Amino acid sequence: MSSAAIVSPANSLGTTQLGVLFNSVLIGVVFMQWVTYFSSRFHDPWPLQLLVYWTMTLDIAHSAISWEYLWMYNVKKFGDIATLSVSHWEYDSGPWFIVLTASPIQIFLAWRIRKMLVGKPYHLADILFGFTVTLSVIQIIFGLYMSTSLLIGVKSTADYTKFVTIAVVWESFALATDAVIMISSIGTLLYRRTGFQHTDWLIFNLILVAIECAIPVTLFTIGHMTAVIVSPTTGIHQLFAWSQARLYSNTLLLNLNSRDRLRKGQGASTSSADPHAVNILTAMERGTGTRPQVRIDVTREENYAMDEIHTKLSDSDVYGPKPTHRI
């Protein structure tokens, strides 16, 4: 008897539909994040804008493919049970979209952490950044290799069992990269506490953002990896796989859009006379009685709030050559 006869529609078509539907909900959430980002007019440097457009392109393309995938099952091949045991390019191309979305975002977040740690002894910033980038690159290699191999050499879902090990290695490096980013981000922010109300409020909210972003991505990655191990020939892993890239996009946009919320929160609690600046840190200058202020230009948003916690950083430190102004 063919393998198609023993395939359960509930464990294949049912879980696939739930995965695509949940992805559709997430693309709606991400769309609202896009609207918030562009309406806020942060005037970010072009590399960051390019990253946003890159993730937008991948999200739209991957979501469109998921809808075509559902159309194929429910319309074009409706009632054809044999198609449940056949591999399809729509799903097999998924790792491409996941790693090409996740890795640039992970490297961007690691770069932000590096900027907060600049000047620390033993080249801690460079070591941590290099380690994170290495993990992310390994993740890309395994993800692209797996997706390409599926597209070229797999005809049946029964062949998915050959790629369980590769999938586990890929997802393990993804988990490791996310864990390093979250732990180092929280640790760095806690280390930057000053005792000043505004600064500690800012740090607390940035830690919340880091946790809010990390938990969904981690849970879905673990769910995907577990489903691949337990039942690689069914569609249970598709319940998680279709949404992973969208969760990474949400991580990026939530971090970027949180600047607007932090800006408004700090603006409401400060009495700065400059309507275009928010004082987020005051510290007694050694040897003088003055209090130097580090400000965020909320009109241009040249700096990220997270980067500004380090009082020694300037615009040129963060984005490269610009008119130098050190505090």
Side-chain angles (χ1 to χ4, degrees), residues 162-183:
K162 303 175 184 178
F163 297 91
V164 171
T165 301
I166 297 176
V168 170
V169 173
W170 160 42
E171 296 285 29
S172 296
F173 274 101
L175 282 173
T177 308
D178 293 334
V180 170
I181 291 173
M182 183 187 69
I183 293 172

Side-chain angles (χ1 to χ4, degrees), residues 6-36:
I6 60 175
V7 173
S8 168
N11 291 337
S12 54
L13 181 58
T15 52
T16 297
Q17 288 184 329
L18 288 176
V20 172
L21 289 174
F22 188 69
N23 173 71
S24 300
V25 173
L26 285 180
I27 193 64
V29 173
V30 172
F31 175 79
M32 296 307 300
Q33 295 272 33
W34 292 336
V35 172
T36 301

Side-chain angles (χ1 to χ4, degrees), residues 209-265:
V209 170
I211 295 174
E212 289 171 3
C213 294
I215 290 177
V217 172
T218 301
L219 291 178
F220 268 70
T221 303
I222 293 175
H224 185 203
M225 183 169 60
T226 303
V228 167
I229 295 173
V230 173
S231 186
T233 60
T234 67
I236 296 177
H237 41 85
Q238 299 194 37
L239 184 63
F240 305 96
W242 286 106
S243 300
Q244 279 182 272
R246 244 57 62 214
L247 292 173
Y248 279 106
S249 297
N250 181 68
T251 295
L252 172 66
L253 292 166
L254 186 59
N255 273 274
L256 297 179
N257 292 337
S258 65
R259 293 175 295 173
D260 189 53
R261 183 186 66 185
L262 295 174
R263 176 180 65 187
K264 293 176 180 177

Side-chain angles (χ1 to χ4, degrees), residues 276-308:
H276 298 295
V278 178
N279 178 14
I280 66 167
L281 176 62
T282 57
M284 291 300 295
E285 190 176 37
R286 194 173 295 177
T288 69
T290 62
R291 290 179 175 265
Q293 295 181 342
V294 177
R295 297 177 181 273
I296 297 178
D297 183 343
V298 298
T299 303
R300 300 175 62 219
E301 287 292 343
E302 290 284 318
N303 291 322
Y304 307 115
M306 198 185 316
D307 291 330
E308 286 296 328

Side-chain angles (χ1 to χ4, degrees), residues 7-295:
V7 173
S8 168
N11 291 337
S12 54
L13 181 58
T15 52
T16 297
Q17 288 184 329
L18 288 176
V20 172
L21 289 174
F22 188 69
N23 173 71
S24 300
V25 173
L26 285 180
I27 193 64
V29 173
V30 172
F31 175 79
M32 296 307 300
Q33 295 272 33
W34 292 336
V35 172
T36 301
Y37 176 78
F38 290 112
S39 62
S40 297
R41 299 183 179 181
F42 290 118
H43 300 289
D44 287 322
W46 70 264
L48 182 53
Q49 294 187 43
L50 182 62
L51 177 59
V52 174
Y53 284 117
W54 170 255
T55 58
M56 282 179 60
T57 302
L58 293 177
D59 285 337
I60 293 172
H62 197 206
S63 296
I65 290 173
S66 73
W67 299 328
E68 193 279 334
Y69 189 48
L70 216 56
W71 179 270
M72 181 270 297
Y73 271 128
N74 294 331
V75 179
K76 292 173 62 176
K77 296 188 177 182
F78 179 76
D80 185 1
I81 300 298
T83 196
L84 298 179
S85 62
V86 177
S87 64
H88 300 279
W89 69 269
E90 294 92 340
Y91 176 68
D92 292 345
S93 62
W96 277 359
F97 289 95
I98 294 173
V99 298
L100 292 177
T101 301
S103 187
I105 294 173
Q106 291 168 338
I107 293 173
F108 165 70
L109 295 175
W111 174 80
R112 291 210 310 179
I113 296 170
R114 176 178 177 271
K115 285 302 177 183
M116 285 196 295
L117 289 174
V118 71
K120 294 292 106 181
Y122 310 114
H123 302 285
L124 177 61
D126 294 331
I127 293 173
L128 185 59
F129 179 74
F131 180 64
T132 307
V133 171
T134 300
L135 292 176
S136 186
V137 170
I138 295 174
Q139 172 198 185
I140 288 182
I141 294 173
F142 277 99
L144 294 180
Y145 172 77
M146 178 178 174
S147 187
T148 303
S149 300
L150 290 175
L151 290 168
I152 294 175
V154 172
K155 303 299 181 184
S156 169
T157 56
D159 295 329
Y160 286 160
T161 56
K162 303 175 184 178
F163 297 91
V164 171
T165 301
I166 297 176
V168 170
V169 173
W170 160 42
E171 296 285 29
S172 296
F173 274 101
L175 282 173
T177 308
D178 293 334
V180 170
I181 291 173
M182 183 187 69
I183 293 172
S184 58
S185 176
I186 294 175
T188 302
L189 288 168
L190 289 174
Y191 176 76
R192 290 297 179 193
R193 288 181 301 174
T194 64
F196 292 97
Q197 181 180 2
H198 292 167
T199 308
D200 289 349
W201 174 88
L202 174 65
I203 290 174
F204 174 76
N205 280 273
L206 290 172
I207 290 175
L208 286 182
V209 170
I211 295 174
E212 289 171 3
C213 294
I215 290 177
V217 172
T218 301
L219 291 178
F220 268 70
T221 303
I222 293 175
H224 185 203
M225 183 169 60
T226 303
V228 167
I229 295 173
V230 173
S231 186
T233 60
T234 67
I236 296 177
H237 41 85
Q238 299 194 37
L239 184 63
F240 305 96
W242 286 106
S243 300
Q244 279 182 272
R246 244 57 62 214
L247 292 173
Y248 279 106
S249 297
N250 181 68
T251 295
L252 172 66
L253 292 166
L254 186 59
N255 273 274
L256 297 179
N257 292 337
S258 65
R259 293 175 295 173
D260 189 53
R261 183 186 66 185
L262 295 174
R263 176 180 65 187
K264 293 176 180 177
Q266 288 295 94
S269 59
T270 185
S271 58
S272 173
D274 184 355
H276 298 295
V278 178
N279 178 14
I280 66 167
L281 176 62
T282 57
M284 291 300 295
E285 190 176 37
R286 194 173 295 177
T288 69
T290 62
R291 290 179 175 265
Q293 295 181 342
V294 177
R295 297 177 181 273

